[in-house]
Amino acid sequence: MSRLSLFPDLDAPPGPRIDEAALRAEVRDFVARATRDGLIRPGRQTWTTFSREFSRACAAQGYIGMTWPRRFGGHERDPFERYVVCEELLAAGAPQGAHWIADRQSGPQILRNGTAALQAEVLPRIAAGDCTIGIGMSEPDSGSDLSSIRSRAEPVAGGYRVTGRKIWTTNAQHADYVIALVRTAPRGEDRYAGLSQLVVPMRSEGITVRPLRDLRGEEELNEITFDAAFVPQANLLGAEGDGWRLVNEELAFERSGPDRILSSFGLLAMLVHAVGPMPDRLAAAEIGRLAARLDATRALSLAINRRLAAGLPTGALAPMMKDLGTEFEQEVPEVARRLLDLRPSETGSEIEGALATAILGAPSFSLRGGTREILRGIIARELGLR
Ligand SMILES: Cc1cc2nc3c(=O)[nH]c(=O)nc-3n(C[C@H](O)[C@H](O)[C@H](O)COP(=O)(O)OP(=O)(O)OC[C@H]3O[C@@H](n4cnc5c(N)ncnc54)[C@H](O)[C@@H]3O)c2cc1C
């Protein structure tokens, strides 16, 4: 079967004309300054590392909310320009945890489905680098099977009271808001009905956050308990009961960007530098294979992003891209281990630090944002194979 008959949606609308080289040069200059100022520490951080200072520096440069309307603090630039900036910052291993989720998916979600009051309250703060948002989807007994969540919102005067637990919420301890998927009606025949998304202000009473330590010893992940926490009516996204559709829309943004390809890019760049301009045959073959996969996956990611920007459906493409991208990210530390005689060490040289960070982070690449098995199930369904 030809590629086109399998994936009729692959061809994206043509890309815009922008001066890509000039933009990349501008971002690289920004990265060099941020590295000199100690805001970026190569090999020692990941893109989920929280740094308010770095996010404010990004905002001052116009790198947050790049495509959003100016009236919300955005910059009305083209989605491809945003893609280029994201690539450069990810490749540099910049710590974007204070704004990444808000810029990638929560802001766009509020822009598309938020009330006017919520948009005015939240979007300018995100664009200024002053607002962190968490993803409140997973629960202790509901990860892959997201529709089985039990957190619930009861209607009260002026809004809702939310009760329940969320888990694995990245950077929740710093979050100003968490977009929580909750039940607004009991589970019935249709398991996807009766779900809604609420933008929960994390400073409300009745919310406790407990950090969870990961393999790297970092405490980026958290458990949140909501005990009748109040959420204003204006913080409902879309209509009550729209939650399942909205969550899936959001996940297409979460599963198709350069952050699903470039988590170990810093290590790959260091590896290429370490083997030098005359690598032996094994190194040339291994690195060549990685480079080819990087290029092909990036082309798919770009095509999806153009489709998302044009409001077109992406079907199986986003889960496919995340599966391919995270496999690549996981293979980079394996190849580095095979080619170089290095001892991974978070306190060693830059490359030893990058290797340690990539090895310890790699198992999570194919869990966060949906596991490999779940993505492959969605791909099979989209292709009509199950
Ligand atoms: C670093 C990191 C950051 C995260 N950040 C967030 C966040 O900010 N917000 C948030 O809401 N969540 C977050 N998550 C949670 C993540 O989305 C879940 O871990 C993921 O969806 C899997 O859910 P689970 O952990 O409950 O595993 P389970 O759903 O219990 O799955 C366990 C295993 O069983 C497999 N499995 C389950 N069902 C099936 C099936 N039907 N067919 C085949 N295999 C199956 C899975 O693939 C997996 O291997 C994060 C996770 C990680 C690792």
Side-chain angles (χ1 to χ4, degrees), residues 82-105:
R82 176 180 179 272
Y83 196 95
V84 167
V85 170
C86 288
E87 277 193 317
E88 291 294 331
L89 295 179
L90 290 164
Q96 300 175 78
H99 71 267
W100 184 265
I101 288 170
D103 181 65
R104 176 186 66 187
Q105 66 194 78

Side-chain angles (χ1 to χ4, degrees), residues 101 134-145 166-170 221 254 364 367-374:
I101 288 170
I135 303 170
M137 295 186 193
S138 310
E139 296 192 357
D141 297 316
S142 311
S144 303
D145 182 14
K166 294 288 170 183
I167 199 164
W168 314 126
T169 320
T170 305
L221 303 173
E254 197 178 335
S364 72
L367 297 175
R368 60 186 184 189
T371 68
R372 178 157 289 142
E373 291 76 16
I374 294 305

